[in-house]
Amino acid sequence: MTAAGPPVTVRTVAELRAALQERRRTHGGRVGLVPTMGALHAGHLALVERARATCDHVVASVFVNPKQFDRPDDLECYPRDESGDARALGRAGCDMLYAPPQDAMYPAGFATSVRVGGVTDALEGTHRPGHFEGVATVVTKLLLQALPDVAFFGEKDYQQLLTIRRLAADLDIPVAIEGVPTVREADGLALSSRNANLTVQQRRIAPALAETLRATARRLAEDGAPADALLAEGRAALLRSGFDSVDYIALCDAASLAPLDAADRPARLLAAAWLGPTRLIDNVAV
Ligand code: AMP
C-alpha cells in the first residue's frame, strides 16, 4: 500500500511491533526497513524509494547511535532534524518512522555487544575502533525489533553493508539484506550527512575523492598493473588535490574485503580521507 502524507511515528519496540502486526494482519505483504541516523538526504531517500518499489510496508528508523561513534566531537556535531526527516520520508513514500529515544534503545544495564569478525578487520575497522561493533549491535537490535522481510543499506558504506550481510547470515536473522548503489552529486561527490560540515573551499576539493577512485579503478581494470604502484599514485593524487591526509586507499576482494595485489577477480576500491576535521569515505567497483 502507498503512503499518503507524513509517516506514522512510533518510539518504542512495543508500538513498532503492534503497528507492523496490524499492517500485516489487515494488508499482508512484505515489510521493508531502512535504518538511518537521520539528517536525511537523497542517498537515504533512494533506499526508501527502493523499499517502496519492492515492499508493501516501508519503515525507516532514525536513531543517532552513540555506540558507533569513535570520536565524541563527531557525535556532538552530528546533524539532527526529525521534523524535516519526517516530511522527506512522507514525500518518498515511507509509511512509518521509528525514532526511539536513546534510553529505549540502551536502557540502564544494557550489556550486550555484537562483534563481527573478518570483514570488519581492516579499513574502517582499523581506523575507527569500536565503530563496527556499535553498528552491528544497533542493526541487530533494529532487525530483531522490526523483523522486516528486507532491510536496505547503501553501498556508500560498503564495508558496513558486508558486515550486516555477515551478521544476518551468522545469527540466522530471517531478513534479506539489499544493497543500494551510491547516490552522488552532479560532480561525483557521494552524498553524506557530513558534507554539510565542509567549508566552501573543502567542498571544491571533495569531488577529487570519487574522481581519483574512478580513475584508479579504470587503470587497475585495464592495465592489470600491480595494485601497489597505482594505489600509491592514487594516494598522491588525493594529497595533491588538497586532502589533508589519507587514511587508506585499498583494493579488496568485493565479497570478503581481503586485500588484493591486482584486480584479477571482482574487486572494490575503497578510500577514506580527511578535509580538515571532516573525514570522507567512498568506494567504487573495479
Ligand atoms: P547513515 O544515516 O549515515 O547511517 O546512513 C543510513 C543508510 O543510508 C546507510 O545504509 C548508508 O549506507 C545509506 N547512505 C548514506 N549515504 C548514501 C548515499 N550517498 N547513497 C546511497 N546510500 C547512502
Side-chain angles (χ1 to χ4, degrees):
M1 57 175 305
T2 308
V8 173
T9 299
V10 293
R11 302 209 182 265
T12 66
V13 183
E15 278 171 8
L16 173 71
R17 289 195 174 139
L20 284 175
Q21 200 174 13
E22 179 59 14
R23 280 183 160 269
R24 279 193 156 118
R25 192 180 63 74
T26 52
H27 305 291
R30 281 155 43 95
V31 171
L33 174 70
V34 179
T36 81
M37 296 204 298
L40 302 181
H41 52 62
H44 299 111
L45 298 178
L47 308 188
V48 174
E49 283 153 18
R50 181 82 194 129
R52 180 75 278 160
T54 54
C55 298
D56 304 281
H57 312 287
V58 179
V59 185
S61 61
V62 170
F63 179 67
V64 181
N65 176 33
K67 288 192 189 293
Q68 73 187 70
F69 284 81
D70 52 314
R71 291 184 294 139
D73 57 317
D74 192 24
L75 175 59
E76 272 155 37
C77 294
Y78 204 83
R80 290 167 171 85
D81 176 18
E82 190 185 302
S83 52
D85 290 344
R87 284 192 299 274
L89 288 170
R91 285 193 298 272
C94 177
D95 300 300
M96 202 181 299
L97 166 59
Y98 174 45
Q102 168 104 7
D103 56 357
M105 206 55 145
Y106 301 120
F110 186 90
T112 299
S113 138
V114 178
R115 203 188 71 78
V116 178
V119 290
T120 66
D121 288 347
L123 310 173
E124 295 299 286
T126 312
H127 289 274
R128 301 188 63 191
H131 170 66
F132 282 123
E133 209 162 317
V135 169
T137 301
V138 81
V139 171
T140 300
K141 281 177 68 77
L142 290 166
L143 294 176
L144 294 175
Q145 289 171 345
L147 288 173
D149 297 277
V150 196
F152 297 83
F153 295 88
E155 287 183 355
K156 158 78 176 16
D157 301 284
Y158 190 78
Q159 191 174 13
Q160 167 175 287
L161 170 62
L162 295 190
T163 302
I164 290 159
R165 279 197 206 292
R166 185 80 258 159
L167 80 82
D170 289 356
L171 298 179
D172 304 307
I173 302 177
V175 60
I177 303 299
E178 191 171 324
V180 176
T182 303
V183 177
R184 298 178 179 281
E185 302 280 6
D187 60 13
L189 176 64
L191 265 58
S192 162
S193 311
R194 292 187 175 87
N195 294 351
N197 299 335
L198 298 173
T199 64
V200 172
Q201 168 65 9
Q202 289 165 344
R203 176 62 188 79
R204 272 192 214 114
I205 299 168
L209 181 57
E211 243 162 69
T212 303
L213 284 174
R214 254 199 324 268
T216 308
R218 204 163 44 236
R219 293 180 66 195
L220 283 162
E222 281 168 8
D223 302 0
D228 267 5
L230 292 177
L231 295 175
E233 279 179 41
R235 177 181 287 267
L238 287 173
L239 295 172
R240 259 196 326 273
S241 303
F243 276 90
D244 294 300
S245 63
V246 178
D247 278 353
Y248 60 82
I249 171 164
L251 180 69
C252 299
D253 180 280
S256 69
L257 288 187
L260 293 181
D261 295 329
D264 52 7
R265 68 190 89 158
R268 205 87 190 175
L269 182 63
L270 307 97
W274 292 84
L275 277 171
T278 305
R279 185 173 183 274
L280 299 181
I281 62 169
D282 201 350
N283 68 89
V284 295
V286 182

